[in-house]
C-alpha cells in the first residue's frame, strides 16, 4: 500500500518516504520549485478546499498545469465538482478528450450509477467524501461499496483504489487499498 503524505509534510526533515500528494488549489511558487524534487507526485485538484472557500478551479488552467508538470506526476485526480455528480463525470470526460488520464473520484454522497460508469472504463479509481466521518460510519459505507462493486468473489480488488483522506488505521487495514 502506498500512503501519500499531504499538506506540507514534505517539509518535515524526518519524512523519508517519497509518496507525496500536493493539492493544485494550494500550489504556489515554493511548491512549484519543489515539484521535481518530490516526484513522482500525486496531484489532487483541491476541489474540496476550493469549494470550502467559495472558489472555483478553472479546468483549462488545471489541465495546463498538468501538461506542464506531467513528467513529475505519478497520478493526478480529476477536477471533481463537490455536490454535482454529473459535472464531475463531465470534467472526467473533458480531461480524457484532451488526452489526459485523470484518476476518477467517486464520492460518498454520489449516486452509485457514477461508480458503475467509472468501473466500466478505469482500472484505478479513488473514493472521496470521507473526511470528517467516524471510522464506524465510513466502515458501513465502505463495506457496502467494496462488497458490491470493488471486490471479486475471492476477495481481491477488481481495480486499484485510492482513499482520499483516509487516516484511520482501522480503515486502512480493513480494505485492500492500492
Amino acid at each position: 500500500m502506498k500512503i501519500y503524505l499531504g499538506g506540507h509534510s514534505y517539509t518535515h526533515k524526518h519524512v523519508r518516504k517519497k509518496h507525496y500528494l500536493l493539492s493544485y488549489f494550494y500550489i504556489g511558487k515554493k511548491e512549484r520549485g519543489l515539484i521535481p524534487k518530490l516526484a513522482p507526485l500525486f496531484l489532487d485538484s483541491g476541489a474540496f478546499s476550493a469549494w470550502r472557500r467559495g472558489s472555483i478551479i478553472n479546468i483549462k488552467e488545471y489541465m495546463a498545469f498538468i501538461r506542464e508538470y506531467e513528467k513529475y506526476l505519478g497520478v493526478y485526480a480529476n477536477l471533481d465538482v463537490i455536490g454535482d455528480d454529473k459535472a464531475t463525470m463531465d470534467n472526467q470526460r473533458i480531461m480524457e478528450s484532451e488526452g489526459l488520464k485523470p484518476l476518477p473520484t467517486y464520492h460518498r454522497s454520489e449516486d452509485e450509477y457514477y461508480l458503475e460508469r467509472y468501473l466500466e472504463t478505469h482500472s484505478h479509481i479513488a473514493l472521496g467524501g470521507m473526511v470528517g466521518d467516524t471510522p464506524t460510519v465510513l466502515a458501513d459505507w465502505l463495506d457496502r461499496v467494496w462488497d458490491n462493486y470493488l471486490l471479486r468473489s475471492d476477495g481481491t480488488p477488481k481495480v486499484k483504489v485510492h482513499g482520499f483522506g483516509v487516516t484511520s488505521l482501522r480503515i486502512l487495514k480493513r480494505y485492500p487499498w492500492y
Side-chain angles (χ1 to χ4, degrees), residues 11-28:
T11 61
H12 295 215
K13 291 181 178 152
H14 67 280
V15 175
R16 293 186 200 134
K17 253 331 202 177
K18 294 205 175 195
H19 295 117
Y20 301 104
L21 180 143
L22 287 182
S23 169
Y24 171 74
F25 183 72
Y26 289 115
I27 291 177

Side-chain angles (χ1 to χ4, degrees), residues 117-175:
R117 298 297 74 77
Y118 292 136
L119 292 171
E120 288 173 357
T121 54
H122 295 84
S123 60
H124 189 181
I125 67 162
L127 299 179
M130 299 183 283
V131 173
D133 284 326
T134 67
T136 302
V137 169
L138 284 181
D140 288 344
W141 176 70
L142 288 167
D143 282 349
R144 188 172 46 73
V145 169
W146 281 95
D147 291 345
N148 294 334
Y149 298 102
L150 303 176
L151 293 176
R152 293 184 183 96
S153 59
D154 67 359
T156 60
K158 295 177 184 176
V159 297
K160 295 175 187 174
V161 181
H162 173 78
F164 275 117
V166 176
T167 57
S168 161
L169 191 56
R170 175 180 157 205
I171 297 297
L172 283 171
K173 289 181 170 184
R174 187 176 177 111
Y175 307 98

